[in-house]
Amino acid sequence: MEEKAAEFLVHRRVLDEVRLEKVAQKGTRSTGPTAGERMKESLRCSGPRLKQTVLRWIPVLSWLPHYSFRENAIGDLISGCSVGLMHLPQGMAYALLASLRPVYGLYTSLYPVLVYFIFGTSRHISIGTFAVISIMVGSVTERLAPDSNFPLNGTNGTGAVDLDARDRFRVQVACSLTVLAGIFQILLGVVRFGFVVTYLSEPLVRGYTTGSACHVCVSQLKYLFGVTPGRFTGPLSLIYTLVDICRLLPQTKVPELVVSLVALSVLIVVKEINACYRRKLPLPLPIEIIVIAAATVITHFGGLTSKYNVDVVGEIPSGLKAPRAPDTTLFLQVIGDAFAVAIVGYAINISLGKTFALKHGYKVDSNQELVALGLSNAVGGFFHCYSVTSSLSRSLVQESTGGKTQVAGLISSVIVLVTILKIGSLFSDLPKLVWLVTFTSTILLNLDLGLAVSIAFSVLTLIFRTQLPRYSILGHVRGTDLYLDTDTYREAKEIPGIKIFRSSATINYTNAEMYLEALQEKSEIEMGKLLTAKKKRDAKLKREQKKEKAKSKAKKRRKPSQMADRKSSLDDLGGGRVNEAFQHCAATSNSDSEKGIPRASATHSVVLDVATTSFVDTVAVTTLKNIFRDFGEIDVEVYLAGCQGCVVEQLEAAGFFTESLPKSRLFVSVHDAVLHVLGTREPKDFVLDVCSTPM
């Protein structure tokens, strides 16, 4: 049956701006406290304020005292052990990318993780070494400490290099770069600069990551083939390096190539098995650490170094080194690189952190993440670590194996610590190329998110202007079909149960996340808490259903005599039969009706006024889809209003409209959407006044 279209007629005078201000009684928008008042308020000290400040800057104090061993301990233990095993091969391999000895990768997988445990706000990301950051650090260490600056015994022209002196200086460069990058991140976090990451769009991140992966692969080909190409810098350096490697292919060391191909084949096969059976396996097979252990044993007992001249890692010292202050004289030489590392590392970290936070219904503080990452780098630089960020592959394992908090990161640090103190020296016979093949296959098979390009300082002024759109809740002006900002117009009144939300700017990738956060804040609907509560109720309902089934089975197992007695008694009552399944369903239904989904203000509908949106990109479309999906899960209907024709065409091209999200959710004006909502609600306890204009 075709639904009859609603009709309405509005009779009002044409309103210009002057008459509009009179009708709606426009007031002066509050300017808020002055700078002096805000400064005075920030300096005011009290017990509750001090506690709030301490908990904000040291988040571990807010969640660790309430840590639930019953719910989280097992998952964190399994997750921590799994991530710890991944830290070992990745840390040693990525250290080679940074042109440092493998043990410094292990240090980098230890100290920064402990610092982030205290100051971080994400529960699922794994801090430590990362390929692209390692490459950025390696480019600086090789530029400031090239082999040509360290001739052996003061001789030139022989090609001999003093490796010990070179490696010591490269560690100084890496540590100075790391401390300076950490200082930049801390300062940016203190001045609330976390919003800058919103300008690194997902397509930009993925494209830059793919290019970086190509640089990673090409930089490791020389180890796989056992050749020594020239070092190129500047534009097209990747092409020059690849051409030089191809020129040197006739000089390939066959033993190293054979080991590379065998290790690569094993890694790819096992990783494909992990991918195919990820739902059946309790945790992924740690093939990286297995290959490393096997290669070390084979190399040591097979004599590959002496017989076939296979290059190995060499000595890995046991124990921890005493902290050492960075060389501040190097700061001026690495200041540009340090800022780039700071921005790139933060972009990767916050992208992963917010992804997991959205999935699990909690919030990540972008500015506190800057401070936490900065402290991880600054403190780590004193303990012979280089720059860190979160790793996608390790973070996915930490989340998928049951990790609930950063206690998993603490446990992974214990595994790394034991390796450094007792086990690290056993890997001295490990072939370098096995690490590199392990690392390369990890990059190629696990890379999903990556890093974005740095933002030029020249566009910051534009960013500040476009970053702060105005978000409003609209109310109806009595006697008109107008909907105005309730904070500006006193006669604009909210309609009970309906939230009308408007942004002053176009929705796109730069503000899509802020749009979602502002919608939840303005509508007073805490999405994360509501979804979490619903999941808990669903889980409780499943447990109750299982109990009812168990009781039903127990009743069926009663003795025949008892069942006969029961049947006789039922027959005496009239021959009726109890339908236990129906009783259970009825009980469940009553429980559901009594325990409805809690809402912040009994909101049943949300109207999004998108009249200011002139175009939508893929990120905006995804955000709108997520809004319809998430609000629908808590029984809040969402509608679009005022959508321009070109935007409708873009939504159609992007596949926005589906059977579950039809075009009937889109209205030509806010008034049409409101009338539709009021017409579908029963009982009609609210009547919209569009007849009498208060003049």
Side-chain angles (χ1 to χ4, degrees):
M1 181 178 178
E2 185 177 355
E3 183 178 350
K4 184 178 179 180
E7 298 179 356
F8 72 94
L9 176 65
V10 176
H11 178 73
R12 61 175 174 83
R13 298 176 60 184
V14 176
L15 299 176
D16 57 15
E17 184 63 25
V18 176
R19 291 177 178 174
L20 174 64
E21 292 179 0
K22 183 178 179 180
V23 170
Q25 298 185 20
K26 182 178 181 180
T28 303
R29 186 182 178 191
S30 176
T31 58
T34 63
E37 292 173 342
R38 288 197 298 268
M39 179 64 70
K40 182 179 179 180
E41 178 66 18
S42 64
L43 296 177
R44 184 175 61 85
C45 184
S46 63
R49 186 180 181 86
L50 178 61
K51 179 181 178 181
Q52 181 182 7
T53 302
V54 171
L55 294 179
R56 185 176 72 250
W57 288 101
I58 311 177
V60 69
L61 298 179
S62 63
W63 62 266
L64 188 59
H66 308 289
Y67 183 79
S68 174
F69 284 90
R70 180 180 179 181
E71 296 181 3
N72 302 330
I74 299 299
D76 285 341
L77 178 62
I78 296 175
S79 176
C81 293
S82 302
V83 174
L85 292 177
M86 291 185 69
H87 266 303
L88 302 181
Q90 288 189 357
M92 292 187 288
Y94 293 158
L96 295 178
L97 281 182
S99 297
L100 303 174
R101 293 185 175 180
V103 69
Y104 294 102
L106 297 179
Y107 295 154
T108 306
S109 302
L110 173 62
Y111 295 106
V113 179
L114 299 176
V115 176
Y116 187 83
F117 169 79
I118 299 173
F119 296 100
T121 60
S122 175
R123 305 173 190 172
H124 296 92
I125 63 174
S126 174
I127 290 292
T129 57
F130 187 68
V132 176
I133 296 295
S134 300
I135 290 178
M136 297 178 72
V137 174
S139 65
V140 179
T141 56
E142 290 187 2
R143 187 184 76 238
L144 297 183
D147 292 346
S148 58
N149 288 2
F150 301 92
L152 188 61
N153 297 328
T155 59
N156 291 316
T158 62
V161 178
D162 188 348
L163 298 179
D164 291 336
R166 183 202 65 182
D167 290 345
R168 283 195 300 269
F169 187 67
R170 285 184 175 180
V171 171
Q172 293 180 16
V173 173
C175 292
S176 299
L177 172 69
T178 300
V179 171
L180 189 56
I183 293 174
F184 279 135
Q185 290 170 331
I186 294 173
L187 293 177
L188 292 175
V190 170
V191 300
R192 320 296 291 177
F193 201 70
F195 74 88
V196 72
V197 74
T198 60
Y199 286 87
L200 305 177
S201 68
E202 182 179 353
L204 189 68
V205 168
R206 291 180 180 272
Y208 195 86
T209 301
T210 304
S212 300
C214 293
H215 279 274
V216 171
C217 293
V218 172
S219 67
Q220 304 314 303
L221 290 178
K222 59 182 179 180
Y223 297 109
L224 268 63
F225 291 103
V227 297
T228 308
R231 184 177 181 273
F232 301 94
T233 58
L236 300 179
S237 59
L238 180 69
I239 304 300
Y240 296 146
T241 302
L242 190 57
V243 170
D244 200 23
I245 291 175
C246 293
R247 182 180 59 84
L248 296 173
L249 284 181
Q251 304 176 19
T252 299
K253 294 181 179 179
V254 177
E256 295 195 7
L257 180 61
V258 171
V259 175
S260 301
L261 294 177
V262 171
L264 184 60
S265 301
V266 173
L267 287 166
I268 292 177
V269 170
V270 177
K271 282 182 174 292
E272 288 299 323
I273 293 175
N274 283 337
C276 293
Y277 298 97
R278 61 181 180 274
R279 296 183 179 179
K280 297 182 179 180
L281 294 173
L283 55 95
L285 296 175
I287 187 58
E288 293 91 349
I289 195 67
I290 294 174
V291 170
I292 285 180
T296 303
V297 172
I298 294 173
T299 302
H300 179 75
F301 292 101
L304 298 185
T305 304
S306 58
K307 293 181 180 180
Y308 303 103
N309 197 27
V310 174
D311 191 16
V312 296
V313 169
E315 180 184 2
I316 298 181
S318 298
L320 301 174
K321 288 189 175 183
R324 180 180 178 181
D327 188 352
T328 56
T329 60
L330 296 172
F331 279 3
L332 288 179
Q333 301 180 57
V334 300
I335 185 170
D337 302 286
F339 187 78
V341 168
I343 296 299
V344 168
Y346 171 67
I348 300 169
N349 190 76
I350 195 64
S351 297
L352 282 177
K354 290 197 172 184
T355 298
F356 288 114
L358 181 62
K359 180 178 179 180
H360 293 276
Y362 64 92
K363 188 175 182 180
V364 170
D365 188 336
S366 57
N367 294 296
Q368 179 61 26
E369 283 297 293
L370 258 176
V371 175
L373 193 61
L375 288 171
S376 298
N377 281 322
V379 174
F382 283 85
F383 289 89
H384 311 279
C385 303
Y386 66 90
S387 296
V388 297
T389 188
S390 56
S391 164
L392 173 65
S393 57
R394 293 196 306 270
S395 299
L396 286 175
V397 170
Q398 181 165 321
E399 186 259 352
S400 62
T401 53
K404 301 291 182 61
T405 68
Q406 280 298 328
V407 171
L410 186 65
I411 295 172
S412 70
S413 297
V414 173
I415 294 178
V416 176
L417 178 62
V418 172
T419 302
I420 293 175
L421 295 178
K422 299 296 182 182
I423 307 176
S425 59
L426 300 179
F427 294 128
S428 59
D429 288 325
L430 176 63
K432 286 185 178 179
L433 52 90
V434 174
W435 278 345
L436 298 171
V437 170
T438 301
F439 134 78
T440 304
S441 63
T442 301
I443 288 292
L444 294 177
L445 297 175
N446 290 334
L447 190 57
D448 182 47
L449 297 176
L451 89 130
V453 294
S454 301
I455 302 175
F457 182 79
S458 60
V459 300
L460 284 179
T461 54
L462 177 63
I463 291 176
F464 283 116
R465 292 179 181 178
T466 59
Q467 183 66 29
L468 301 174
R470 182 177 178 183
Y471 299 106
S472 309
I473 290 293
L474 305 185
H476 177 247
V477 179
R478 184 173 60 87
T480 73
D481 62 341
L482 302 179
Y483 296 83
L484 305 177
D485 187 354
T486 56
D487 292 335
T488 303
Y489 298 94
R490 290 190 293 271
E491 281 296 321
K493 306 297 183 181
E494 286 190 46
I495 301 173
I498 303 176
K499 293 290 184 180
I500 307 171
F501 180 76
R502 180 176 66 189
S503 169
S504 63
T506 292
I507 309 171
N508 52 55
Y509 77 88
T510 64
N511 59 19
E513 185 174 340
M514 289 189 300
Y515 182 90
L516 178 58
E517 293 177 353
L519 172 60
Q520 297 184 46
E521 179 181 354
K522 288 286 187 178
S523 63
E524 300 178 351
I525 298 176
E526 297 182 352
M527 185 64 61
K529 291 184 178 179
L530 292 174
L531 290 176
T532 302
K534 183 178 180 181
K535 290 179 180 178
K536 289 183 178 179
R537 285 196 300 274
D538 291 343
K540 184 178 180 180
L541 181 60
K542 289 182 179 179
R543 290 195 299 268
E544 291 175 351
Q545 290 176 345
K546 289 182 178 179
K547 290 181 180 179
E548 291 293 334
K549 289 181 179 179
K551 291 180 180 179
S552 178
K553 291 181 179 179
K555 292 178 180 179
K556 291 180 180 179
R557 294 173 183 172
R558 291 180 178 178
K559 295 181 179 180
S561 59
Q562 293 178 332
M563 296 299 293
D565 294 340
R566 182 182 177 189
K567 183 176 184 303
S568 176
S569 61
L570 288 175
D571 291 338
D572 293 338
L573 292 174
R577 179 173 295 177
V578 179
N579 190 334
E580 296 175 350
F582 174 80
Q583 285 184 333
H584 170 66
C585 293
T588 302
S589 177
N590 293 335
S591 176
D592 290 343
S593 63
E594 293 173 0
K595 298 182 180 179
I597 297 175
R599 296 196 187 97
S601 57
T603 299
H604 54 71
S605 302
V606 172
V607 178
L608 303 180
D609 183 2
V610 292
T612 58
T613 298
S614 58
F615 72 96
V616 289
D617 54 19
T618 56
V619 178
V621 172
T622 302
T623 300
L624 290 175
K625 285 183 177 180
N626 291 339
I627 290 174
F628 275 85
R629 181 198 64 201
D630 294 339
F631 277 76
E633 289 182 1
I634 58 173
D635 296 335
V636 176
E637 297 291 335
V638 181
Y639 303 90
L640 294 180
C643 199
Q644 301 181 36
C646 60
V647 176
V648 176
E649 294 176 357
Q650 293 168 2
L651 291 174
E652 290 176 336
F656 179 78
F657 299 107
T658 60
E659 292 184 0
S660 60
L661 207 168
K663 280 190 175 181
S664 58
R665 293 288 192 94
L666 191 153
F667 292 88
V668 295
S669 70
V670 172
H671 195 56
D672 288 296
V674 171
L675 290 179
H676 171 78
V677 172
L678 294 178
T680 57
R681 303 298 298 183
E682 294 290 341
K684 295 180 175 58
D685 54 358
F686 181 84
V687 179
L688 202 63
D689 181 7
V690 293
C691 296
S692 58
T693 304
M695 295 297 292

